[in-house]
Amino acid sequence: MKLYFSPGACSLASRISLHEAGLAAEFERVDPKTKITERGYDYLSINPMGFVPLLALDDGSTISENVAVLDFIVDREPALGPGGQLGRSQLLEILSWLSSELHVAFRPMWAPLEEPGKAAAKETVAKLLDIVSARINELYLFGPRFTVADAFLFAMLRWANAFGVRVSPEMHAYFERVAERPTVQRALAEEGLPDPRLRIDTSSFEALA
Ligand SMILES: N[C@@H](CCC(=O)N[C@@H](CS)C(=O)NCC(=O)O)C(=O)O
């Protein structure tokens, strides 16, 4: 299978999850501006929405949308989901929330907006991160076990860190904990991204200021 990705984009969650699942995959970079892949293909002919991630399976079928790609990976490696009778529903619940509420809330930060618009977006993201911070239970979102939802949240915490969004000390500790995982370190290195533990701007953490 092949994952279409852009460095540092939400597709980082798929790459981390593939590594966690021990699934072998190729990776093809997509230029988010030109929509041309690193092998020179028109990405819009592969995914008309133009978004990454997209997982192309060996039989020619494709899966786009973070929620669907991460759910597919859990289907292959159930240990990456919360398990239990309600596990699948609870996983889809948090993945949907991360996708449709948190991910979308970041969008104004990349838009050519005036500063007040960006400041409002940062505040919205901070409030949403406070909500999800309260869900961290023991080590991860679903307790002691790392799931694909943690990979998704980690990809967005990188952005929050880069944009200087305020996060709780609990979320800061969680971010560092996820960053320590060998699969995360591997995924960051493969995408040419720095280790965020070396770049965390502690001045943006109110409790530490
Ligand atoms: N609804 C999509 C959104 C994915 C998305 O926004 N991907 C971004 C990268 S984080 C992207 O491909 N942006 C390129 C663009 O906006 O043209 C999903 O959840 O997979």
Side-chain angles (χ1 to χ4, degrees), residues 9-11 32 35 50-53 65-67 99 103 107 152 159:
C10 51
S11 46
K35 305 294 180 196
F51 292 130
V52 290
E65 294 294 313
N66 277 296
V67 176
S99 174
H103 187 293
R107 289 227 165 110
F152 198 6
W159 306 338

Side-chain angles (χ1 to χ4, degrees), residues 14-176:
S14 308
R15 184 189 290 263
I16 292 169
S17 300
L18 286 168
H19 291 337
E20 289 279 349
L23 293 171
E26 291 174 53
F27 298 91
E28 183 152 352
R29 185 163 29 86
V30 178
D31 183 322
K33 292 205 174 69
T34 64
K35 305 294 180 196
I36 303 295
T37 77
E38 67 181 295
R39 295 175 66 207
Y41 293 107
D42 172 16
Y43 185 57
L44 292 176
S45 69
I46 300 166
N47 182 0
M49 295 297 292
F51 292 130
V52 290
L54 180 137
L55 200 56
L57 306 184
D58 295 343
D59 67 0
S61 48
T62 59
I63 303 168
S64 65
E65 294 294 313
N66 277 296
V67 176
V69 171
L70 296 174
D71 182 59
F72 170 86
I73 294 171
V74 174
D75 199 51
R76 293 290 185 279
E77 179 45 273
L80 285 173
Q85 207 180 2
L86 284 181
R88 179 81 178 271
S89 302
Q90 287 169 337
L91 181 66
L92 290 175
E93 176 187 59
I94 187 82
L95 290 179
S96 301
W97 187 87
L98 289 169
S99 174
S100 62
E101 304 295 334
L102 185 58
H103 187 293
V104 167
F106 275 95
R107 289 227 165 110
M109 296 194 201
W110 282 283
L113 276 181
E114 295 303 319
E115 200 41 50
K118 291 193 191 292
K122 274 164 76 166
E123 196 43 40
T124 302
V125 167
K127 284 185 182 145
L128 293 174
L129 287 176
D130 282 344
I131 292 169
V132 76
S133 176
R135 281 195 61 147
I136 296 167
N137 170 16
E138 298 182 51
L139 298 178
Y140 301 112
L141 287 168
F142 287 100
R145 187 199 290 184
F146 182 88
T147 70
V148 294
D150 297 298
F152 198 6
L153 180 55
F154 176 79
M156 291 189 274
L157 285 173
R158 281 190 65 257
W159 306 338
N161 187 34
F163 287 117
V165 174
R166 161 185 68 77
V167 301
S168 68
E170 292 77 17
M171 189 60 102
H172 178 186
Y174 167 88
F175 184 47
E176 291 201 317

